[in-house]
């Protein structure tokens, strides 16, 4: 069963078209990564799903029920975490969740039980400090607890890890993994490593439409180009290869070589680093050209191998078409 189905969703702001016929299907009990560059329309799509934004065209079904702008009937199925959640700073986490339960009309005994359960689940069970002193990661965890309070069928998170450090990102992703047992999870992001870590399904939003959609495994086999990894013995050899083949590097989608060279780590240029792994996007013909250049310029190579297909390489192909 599809928990969320979007058909031909269109929205423009003034003369600017943002969504130009979005078609999206989110399977029940999946962890669905909604991927796109900043400004691609991910938040606009989510606001339409929540009934907070009137689409110009298209239909949205949540658990089989149609979303209607300005009405909240379908939101009983949805828990929502915005990209920057706001709270009453003078409350403790338990006090805030108690307020959420009271707003929902729940019994006090049920509110207490559900609040403790969720705070334990997100790692805030022992936290008694006021929310105003919380870090960004702690607020994200509390936001997830709030979004899950009424046991939604669909949890929507807008860029939940974008401003977190690696530890905070890992913690949020682990929580979302655990949430899958009780809810379908849809989260928007532009961080491809997060998608590869926990998602079962993914869709790429580009130019107002879904460019690719499927399971993570399916999408990894869709790339037009292959990737290979080459590691030189010295940074000097890597710099030479970047100067000659920089436009084929996966790490930079620009076709302008001077942009690629300017992004090289300073420790490479100074010869202070021995991490010289380069990832190229291209077919066998490019590999043969690189190998020929390596031989002609006597560049010592430590490793060269075909890389496992990645969502990052597919996304860069989509973004540059």
């Amino acid at each position: 069963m599809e928990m969320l189905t979007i058909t031909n969703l269109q929205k423009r702001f003034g003369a600017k078209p943002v969504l130009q016929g979005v078609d999206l299907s989110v399977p029940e009990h999946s962890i669905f990564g909604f991927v796109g560059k900043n400004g691609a329309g991910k938040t606009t799509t989510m606001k339409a799903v929540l009934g907070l934004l009137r689409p110009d065209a298209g239909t949205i079904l949540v658990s089989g029920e149609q979303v209607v702008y300005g009405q909240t009937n379908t939101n009983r199925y949805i828990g929502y975490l915005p990209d920057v959640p706001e709270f009453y700073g003078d409350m403790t986490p338990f006090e805030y969740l108690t307020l959420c339960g009271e707003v929902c009309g729940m019994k006090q005994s049920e509110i207490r039980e559900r609040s403790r359960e969720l705070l334990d689940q997100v790692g805030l069970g022992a936290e008694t400090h006021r929310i105003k002193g919380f870090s960004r990661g702690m607020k994200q965890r509390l936001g997830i607890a709030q979004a899950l309070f009424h046991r939604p069928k669909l949890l929507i998170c807008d860029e939940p890890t974008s401003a977190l450090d690696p530890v905070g990102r890992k913690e949020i992703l682990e929580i979302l993994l655990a949430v899958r047992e009780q809810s379908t999870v849809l989260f928007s992001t532009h961080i491809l490593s997060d998608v590869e870590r926990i998602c079962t399904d993914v869709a790429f939003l580009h130019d107002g439409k879904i460019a690719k959609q499927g399971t993570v495994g399916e999408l990894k086999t869709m790339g037009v180009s292959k990737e290979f990894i080459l590691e030189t013995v010295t940074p000097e050899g890597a710099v030479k290869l970047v100067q000659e083949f920089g436009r084929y590097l996966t790490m930079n989608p620009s076709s302008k070589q001077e942009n690629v060279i300017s992004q090289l780590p300073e420790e490479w240029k100074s010869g202070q680093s021995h991490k010289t792994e380069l990832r190229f996007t291209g077919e066998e013909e490019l590999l043969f050209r690189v190998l020929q250049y390596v031989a002609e310029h006597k560049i010592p190579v430590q490793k060269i191998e075909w890389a496992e297909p990645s969502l990052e390489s597919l996304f860069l192909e989509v973004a540059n078409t």
Side-chain angles (χ1 to χ4, degrees):
M1 176 182 174
E2 305 301 317
M3 179 53 61
L4 171 65
T5 304
I6 299 175
T7 306
N8 191 35
L9 185 64
Q10 300 178 36
K11 181 65 182 179
R12 67 169 54 238
F13 295 99
K16 181 182 179 181
V18 177
L19 304 177
Q20 303 184 66
V22 171
D23 295 307
L24 185 68
S25 297
V26 178
E28 189 175 14
H29 290 297
S30 62
I31 301 182
F32 198 102
F34 191 34
V35 179
K37 295 187 292 186
N38 290 331
K42 302 186 297 296
T43 299
T44 299
T45 302
M46 291 180 168
K47 287 183 177 179
V49 172
L50 293 165
L52 302 176
L53 194 66
R54 187 194 299 275
D56 297 326
T59 59
I60 303 171
L61 301 177
V62 177
S63 192
E65 187 173 334
Q66 185 166 342
V67 175
V68 179
Y69 168 70
Q71 299 185 17
T72 60
N73 291 343
T74 50
N75 283 353
R76 71 184 186 275
Y77 301 124
I78 302 173
Y80 177 57
L81 174 67
D83 55 344
V84 183
E86 297 291 342
F87 306 95
Y88 295 107
D90 288 334
M91 288 184 169
T92 66
F94 186 82
E95 290 171 344
Y96 179 75
L97 290 188
T98 298
L99 174 63
C100 293
E102 291 172 347
V103 169
C104 292
M106 298 168 61
K107 296 179 180 179
Q108 284 297 320
S109 58
E110 186 180 0
I111 291 174
R112 288 193 296 271
E113 180 181 352
R114 184 64 174 158
S115 296
R116 293 192 182 102
E117 174 189 345
L118 286 169
L119 289 174
D120 286 341
Q121 183 175 345
V122 301
L124 296 175
E127 188 58 62
T128 58
H129 292 87
R130 303 294 171 183
I131 299 171
K132 61 185 176 183
F134 278 18
S135 67
R136 177 69 183 268
M138 294 171 71
K139 288 181 178 179
Q140 293 293 82
R141 285 189 272 160
L142 179 58
I144 292 174
Q146 172 271 138
L148 291 173
F149 204 91
H150 62 294
R151 294 180 173 85
K153 292 183 177 182
L154 175 63
L155 173 65
I156 298 178
C157 302
D158 193 0
E159 303 276 6
T161 63
S162 61
L164 302 181
D165 59 33
V167 174
R169 281 173 52 202
K170 181 175 181 292
E171 291 173 347
I172 295 300
L173 292 176
E174 288 176 349
I175 292 171
L176 295 181
L177 265 177
V179 167
R180 183 189 177 189
E181 298 180 5
Q182 48 191 294
S183 300
T184 301
V185 179
L186 169 67
F187 76 96
S188 67
T189 186
H190 57 270
I191 304 174
L192 276 300
S193 58
D194 289 353
V195 175
E196 290 197 277
R197 181 178 291 182
I198 71 166
C199 286
T200 58
D201 299 77
V202 62
F204 292 149
L205 180 64
H206 181 63
D207 284 343
K209 295 182 179 181
I210 300 299
K212 302 282 185 182
Q213 177 177 338
T215 67
V216 172
E218 289 170 348
L219 289 184
K220 282 187 174 184
T221 66
M222 286 184 181
V224 175
S225 300
K226 298 179 181 179
E227 287 186 313
F228 61 90
I229 298 170
L230 186 147
E231 185 174 336
T232 62
V233 174
T234 64
E236 293 82 2
V239 171
K240 287 181 180 179
L241 286 167
V242 171
Q243 290 172 335
E244 183 68 20
F245 300 101
R247 62 185 177 276
Y248 300 107
L249 285 177
T250 304
M251 72 177 189
N252 189 75
S254 171
S255 59
K256 298 181 180 179
Q257 282 191 219
E258 61 269 22
N259 290 347
V260 180
I261 295 170
S262 69
Q263 292 183 14
L264 284 176
E266 288 299 324
E267 55 267 29
W268 278 29
K269 302 173 187 177
S270 62
Q272 297 175 358
S273 172
H274 295 290
K275 182 175 176 57
T276 58
E277 184 178 283
L278 299 172
R279 184 183 287 257
F280 296 90
T281 300
E283 297 296 332
E284 290 183 353
E285 186 270 339
L286 174 62
L287 174 61
F288 295 148
R289 285 169 52 198
V290 170
L291 289 176
Q292 182 179 0
Y293 184 88
V294 165
E296 290 176 350
H297 292 78
K298 296 181 172 59
I299 298 175
V301 172
Q302 185 165 307
K303 177 180 71 175
I304 185 165
E305 64 183 17
W306 287 109
E308 178 184 351
S310 68
L311 290 180
E312 181 179 10
S313 60
L314 179 59
F315 179 65
L316 292 179
E317 287 182 14
V318 168
N320 289 311
T321 55

